[in-house]
Amino acid sequence: MSEDRRRHPRLRSLIGGRIIFNDGRSTLDCVLRNISPGGALIACSAAVSLPEIFDLLLPSKNRRLRVRLVWRHEDQLGIATLSPVPSW
């Protein structure tokens, strides 16, 4: 049995989102599969290379977050929330 290393319990979700990187010039649709105060599990295309730090836009929640890629396995990404991104 593997040990759960999460700091916070995660809640299941099915929220559409968009990964934004390359100074806003590149985007990728994704789906949040679970979420907690400190991170989330995202499903997206396995074919795209992503930077370690990127923005996550959640239109249905009117939120944009700066996140850090913690791990990746095929089409699943584990991310840690760094901070909200101010809107101008």
Side-chain angles (χ1 to χ4, degrees), residues 14-19 28-32 42-43 56-60:
L14 190 59
I15 301 171
R18 178 162 286 159
I19 294 170
L28 175 65
D29 290 333
C30 65
V31 176
L32 264 73
I42 298 174
L56 177 62
L57 177 65
L58 305 172
S60 67

Side-chain angles (χ1 to χ4, degrees), residues 1-10:
M1 186 181 294
S2 66
E3 179 183 337
D4 189 350
R5 296 178 297 182
R6 298 176 185 152
R7 293 182 194 175
H8 306 282
R10 292 195 176 182

Side-chain angles (χ1 to χ4, degrees), residues 33-60:
R33 301 307 309 253
N34 65 42
I35 191 164
S36 76
L41 173 71
I42 298 174
C44 69
S45 172
V48 177
S49 178
L50 293 172
E52 180 183 359
I53 306 291
F54 56 87
D55 291 346
L56 177 62
L57 177 65
L58 305 172
S60 67

